[in-house]
Amino acid sequence: MSYHVNEKGFYGKFGGAYIPEMLYPNVEELRQNYLRIIQEPDFQQELQALLKDYVGRPSPLYFAPRLSEKYNTKVYLKREDLNHTGAHKINNTIGQVLLAKRLGKKRIIAETGAGQHGVATATVCALMGLECIVYMGEVDIERQAPNVARMKMLGAQVVAATSGSKTLKDATNEAIRDWINNPEDTYYIIGSVVGPHPYPDMVARFQAVISEEIRVQLLEKEGTELPTYVVACVGGGSNAAGAFYHYLDEPEVQLVAVEAAGKGIHSGESAATSILGKDGIIHGSRTLLMQTEDGQITEPYSISAGLDYPGVGPLHAHLFESGRARFENATDEEALQAVLELTRLEGIIPALESAHALAVLERLQAKPDDIVVINLSGRGDKDLSTYLKHFHFDEQ
Amino acid sequence: MSNRLKRLFAQKPKGLLSVYFTAGFPNLNDTETIILELEKNGVDLLEIGMPFSDPLADGPTIQASSTVALKNGMTIPKLFEQLQDIRQKTQIPLVLMGYLNPVMQYGVERFCQKAAEVGVDGIILPDLPLQQYVEEYKELFEKYNLSKIFLITPQTPEARIREIDSLSNGFIYMVSSASTTGKTVGLAEQSQAYFQRVSEMKLQNPGVIGFGIHDKDTFEAACTHASGAIIGSAFVKALHREGSLPENIKSFIQSIKN
Ligand SMILES: Cc1ncc(COP(=O)(O)O)c(C=O)c1O
């Protein structure tokens, strides 16, 4: 079975480009050009130089001794939290902004949930001198205030999405509407492996640097390129796609995708799409999504703004249905416990999103000789106020 | 093509007024009243919007009416129930317009069958791509004799317009400018050039212009370039005014036609 996109833009039955005609010219322009541009030597040269000197790649693959001891297995953390701007998101925004420049676009738009993608987009726009507009749900603007401040400082305009649940789904709707209204000069930098083809494939390719590096680094440290498990959290699924990418066709590597269970899978406040979702169309892609019986998209919930999305990218829907990846989930509470555990055992404060991946370590039941690579997608700076409140450090 | 659409374009090749409204708005059971009042006031063709939670191609007015309609309890089964006896009361051509996901969940074949049964003439699903339509759904639409209506925009390349024309069998929905619904900037000069360009292509299907048509001037301007024009957001807004539904509909349509 193939886990890569086919020539029509599908992963199995998922994917495609279910877009109104108004978006067709833009998406088609991208579809016809993205592979060619990405493969051009001068594009690669510019990309690799920026990834190295600006983002700080390769990100370390860190053996976590005390976490390993606690779970009696070998735990490695892929340190995407150490990237410039604090998450994996910048791997993608650097790639896409270089592409936008080559397509002659002057105005960049983006959606953001946790604000990490917004910050990463605002950052590359500052770097390239491009106008930047970021759509963000009103609820997220409130719970991720530090990132809103960073975007503004970087010169981006942050526009509040006030419809629906006022979170990532609605910010994405607004960004798509902006693109419809500005079809010629504008490029839409999508922040995850979602949206119409070719976005899921393109974003996965830009994030694939994560697993490309893991293979090299693991060979150095363990004498094998292949871990037993690769674990990553899934919102739209870009950090997971990047961590899985070069292992998709290595069946002995177990891929573990961790979704946000919110207050519990069946609490009515959850974002565990693989369990709660059904086949349908969201944001131009056929995939699994949370919806009512009548096909209305429902409002997800997670304490983590970056996982608070009612769909998953079509690649993940395919990995789920084909059984290639194992889907787990973690509640708000479990994620928060994992935050504190990593902080106290390893001196690393993770993002709430990434903590969902850490939270399933126990459940893996890994053996002492197993190698578990957890993609630490981001750092926790943006979540400090949530942590302070939850752990009552603000009262001490 | 359905006979009602065919007859309409044969009888009235110019100046045709088409109105869009969101089913379930302002109240759940207004559908029949709105249809009959629009017909009574001389509207030629109706698009009935099936509300969706995430209407990507729509501006704030239709988004808001969709949210209200969903809160009121509008669903596809409910709409079909409301349209069950409509053909005993009116022969005005009816087109259903909505997004693919709710139709997929209802079942595309079941949807086509039911639409045909209640006397719907055509379907607009803006987010169903051409290629997927041809591969998966074309036969179904033909089996139930439903016209599939596609959108084109000022950015649609000529070859694609030709392809759309060859797959259409009702009319072509010409989006006036690159925008979501409800923008009232008027018809820009570029739009005029685009209308002209399409008109010179001598397509086999008539064109009807929509998006941004909101008053007598924009309606008449659009009509000089196509068979007719569609008013959506401006009509939905008019339903908000004080006064009864029939009064609001009458005064709005009169403001366009007289
Ligand atoms: C640190 C971090 N991890 C994960 C995610 C989830 O996105 P994805 O599933 O695309 O990796 C986000 C999104 O904002 C994030 O900021």
Side-chain angles (χ1 to χ4, degrees), chain A residues 97-253:
Chain A
V97 86
L98 293 179
L99 197 71
K101 264 196 2 186
R102 279 163 175 77
L103 291 172
K105 306 291 176 171
K106 302 277 183 285
R107 182 174 172 272
I108 301 292
I109 56 172
E111 85 297 336
T112 196
Q116 286 304 119
H117 174 61
V119 167
T121 304
T123 298
V124 298
C125 286
L127 177 67
M128 301 292 165
L130 293 170
E131 183 186 356
C132 179
I133 295 107
V134 179
Y135 291 89
M136 188 169 187
E138 212 170 41
V139 169
D140 294 337
I141 287 183
E142 210 158 288
R143 60 178 163 174
Q144 308 276 249
N147 275 343
V148 177
R150 290 162 82 198
M151 285 185 269
K152 288 184 177 163
M153 180 136 185
L154 287 158
Q157 184 192 343
V158 180
V159 181
T162 56
S163 59
S165 54
K166 305 178 175 60
T167 61
L168 182 53
K169 155 176 97 76
D170 312 285
T172 308
N173 290 343
E174 288 310 323
I176 292 175
R177 290 187 185 114
D178 180 312
W179 210 19
I180 289 176
N181 285 298
N182 297 284
E184 311 216 304
D185 63 341
T186 297
Y187 182 92
Y188 178 19
I189 301 191
I190 294 188
S192 192
V193 286
V194 302
H197 176 68
Y199 278 102
D201 182 51
M202 178 170 65
V203 176
R205 284 169 187 266
F206 288 136
Q207 292 294 357
V209 65
I210 298 173
S211 46
E212 191 184 319
E213 289 173 5
I214 296 174
R215 289 189 77 123
V216 175
Q217 292 166 322
L218 205 59
L219 182 63
E220 221 167 75
K221 291 175 198 283
E222 292 284 344
T224 171
E225 294 178 30
L226 308 183
T228 321
Y229 300 93
V230 180
V231 188
C233 68
V234 174
S238 67
N239 87 87
F244 295 170
Y245 197 88
H246 291 282
Y247 294 117
L248 288 171
D249 301 317
E250 306 277 10
E252 63 269 52
V253 179

Side-chain angles (χ1 to χ4, degrees), chain A residues 8 10 17-22 24-25 169 173 177 180-181 183-184 278-281 291 294-297, chain B residues 51-56 58 63 70 75 100-102 105 126-127 129 131-132 135 151 155 160 178-180 183:
Chain A
K8 287 183 174 169
F10 284 84
Y18 292 83
I19 48 170
E21 190 63 28
M22 291 80 98
Y24 177 81
K169 155 176 97 76
N173 290 343
R177 290 187 185 114
I180 289 176
N181 285 298
E184 311 216 304
K278 272 191 316 184
D279 184 8
I281 310 284
Q291 53 183 309
D294 297 315
Q296 308 298 339
I297 300 175
Chain B
F52 181 46
S53 55
D54 294 75
L56 288 182
D58 287 300
Q63 282 175 49
L70 290 173
T75 61
L100 182 56
N101 194 54
Q105 304 309 319
D127 59 346
Q131 187 192 336
Q132 243 54 48
E135 285 175 18
L151 275 53
Q155 281 75 31
R160 190 168 167 87
S179 76
T180 44
K183 289 264 149 96

